[in-house]
Amino acid sequence: MSGLRRLRLFAIGVVAAMMFLPMALFPQKSQSQGLLSGIADGKTRVVDLSYAINDKLVPWPGDEKVFEAEVNATVEKNGYFTRSFWMLEHYGTHLDAPIHFPPGKATVDQIPAKQFFGPAVVLDVRAEAAKNADYQLPAARVEEWEKKHGRIAEGSIALLRTGWASRWPDAQKYRNQDASGTMHFPGFSAEAAKLLISRKVSGIGCDTISADYGASQDFAVHHLVLGAGLYQLENLADLSDVPEAGAFLVVAPIKLEGGSGGAVRVFALIQKQK
Ligand SMILES: [Zn+2]
């Protein structure tokens, strides 16, 4: 092989390595690129992960008044249609602001806007949850995800997919309370929460009514995650279409001054299969 040829092959090798290295180092980043521009040209699917709000959603046990809407003006009477509404901050698909548990933390309007955009890390525990309603995602499952998809990128949003959305909006099935009133549904474990916090995720979310598993008495995940200044998304709608890696999330909570949380619209941007 001539020196020139060897040099040329070497150069091709370097270029190829440079092209694939970012994919290997930042698998999530390379997959997220182009998702926004793909919305207009039909290459990206936008999936709405929020439930429409009405008075028939599943409330936290004990919450009686949850939502009320009143018509203030009608087209017939006033020439235009408006309503006023009242609702709980933690009802339907909602965001828990850091101040929800630890005092002195950010209210919903104070969460930095950049925390609302990030790659989705989907942790699928549907099989485990079907067998054990008290299942808590172990930290090892987060590590397993990283073995498959690479280290969780800073600013990601970690979603726990339990399959519980299929029970919505049947309060009995969704809350799954036993005779003593204790709820039984899966959640994050404190160890998994700690690991996700160490990866500097922007927030976590779940398709159940709480990030802690249903039978939790101490709300360890709430204390850890909110205490670290992150937010939680609860009662997310069906996550089955969101891939384990590669989707991008847009989280748009109501900007309620001083709020402990509030209704949130969550969108997943997903590349359409070619
Ligand atoms: Zn909440």
Side-chain angles (χ1 to χ4, degrees):
M1 201 186 284
S2 77
L4 188 65
R5 179 121 187 267
R6 206 174 292 158
L7 187 70
R8 212 180 280 156
L9 276 178
F10 174 73
I12 290 168
V14 169
V15 169
M18 281 170 65
M19 281 170 67
F20 290 105
L21 193 65
M23 287 268 284
L25 283 179
F26 312 106
Q28 289 178 306
K29 220 168 252 179
S30 53
Q31 281 162 349
S32 313
Q33 275 163 10
L35 278 173
L36 263 185
S37 58
I39 297 171
D41 57 28
K43 288 183 184 139
T44 299
R45 236 181 104 201
V46 181
V47 177
D48 190 340
L49 299 176
S50 310
Y51 294 120
I53 300 162
N54 60 45
D55 60 355
K56 303 205 169 43
L57 308 183
V58 184
W60 190 259
D63 284 343
E64 273 161 27
K65 186 181 168 190
V66 290
F67 172 87
E68 275 174 13
E70 197 184 326
V71 174
N72 294 334
T74 63
V75 175
E76 293 75 25
K77 242 200 203 155
N78 313 85
Y80 55 89
F81 172 52
T82 64
R83 305 192 312 172
S84 55
F85 71 91
W86 181 100
M87 77 182 286
L88 294 172
E89 287 179 336
H90 300 261
Y91 180 64
T93 307
H94 70 274
L95 180 144
D96 287 359
I99 203 171
H100 182 38
F101 268 57
K105 293 281 177 183
T107 52
V108 67
D109 56 308
Q110 291 169 340
I111 301 171
K114 74 166 203 177
Q115 265 183 252
F116 296 135
F117 304 83
V121 167
V122 175
L123 302 151
D124 191 318
V125 299
R126 286 177 293 191
E128 294 85 347
K131 280 186 230 135
N132 174 15
D134 296 318
Y135 183 78
Q136 294 179 69
L137 174 88
R141 286 297 306 275
V142 179
E143 285 159 0
E144 234 172 76
W145 187 98
E146 290 192 320
K147 264 182 216 135
K148 261 205 226 160
H149 305 289
R151 194 180 162 93
I152 293 173
E154 195 176 321
S156 294
I157 300 159
L159 306 180
L160 186 65
R161 174 164 60 202
T162 69
W164 237 243
S166 66
R167 299 168 177 239
W168 183 274
D170 183 326
Q172 202 106 41
K173 285 188 187 155
Y174 194 73
R175 297 195 302 219
N176 200 24
Q177 283 168 286
D178 61 25
S180 74
T182 303
M183 296 189 282
H184 297 278
F185 54 79
F188 291 89
S189 69
E191 288 65 37
K194 280 183 204 160
L195 181 56
L196 291 166
I197 294 165
S198 78
R199 294 294 187 261
K200 298 191 164 63
V201 298
S202 281
I204 66 169
C206 54
D207 56 1
T208 62
I209 203 167
S210 173
D212 278 282
Y213 79 120
S216 172
Q217 301 290 318
D218 59 2
F219 298 98
V221 173
H222 275 68
H223 283 285
L224 284 165
V225 170
L226 304 176
L230 312 181
Y231 59 79
Q232 300 181 155
L233 306 168
E234 292 169 333
N235 293 326
L236 285 169
D238 187 12
L239 295 168
S240 10
D241 286 346
V242 189
E244 286 188 17
F248 192 86
L249 288 190
V250 177
V251 175
I254 185 168
K255 196 169 181 178
L256 200 55
E257 196 171 305
S260 71
V264 66
R265 203 77 189 264
V266 182
F267 302 104
L269 310 187
I270 303 167
Q271 181 144 43
K272 280 189 189 168
Q273 299 296 332
K274 274 163 210 148

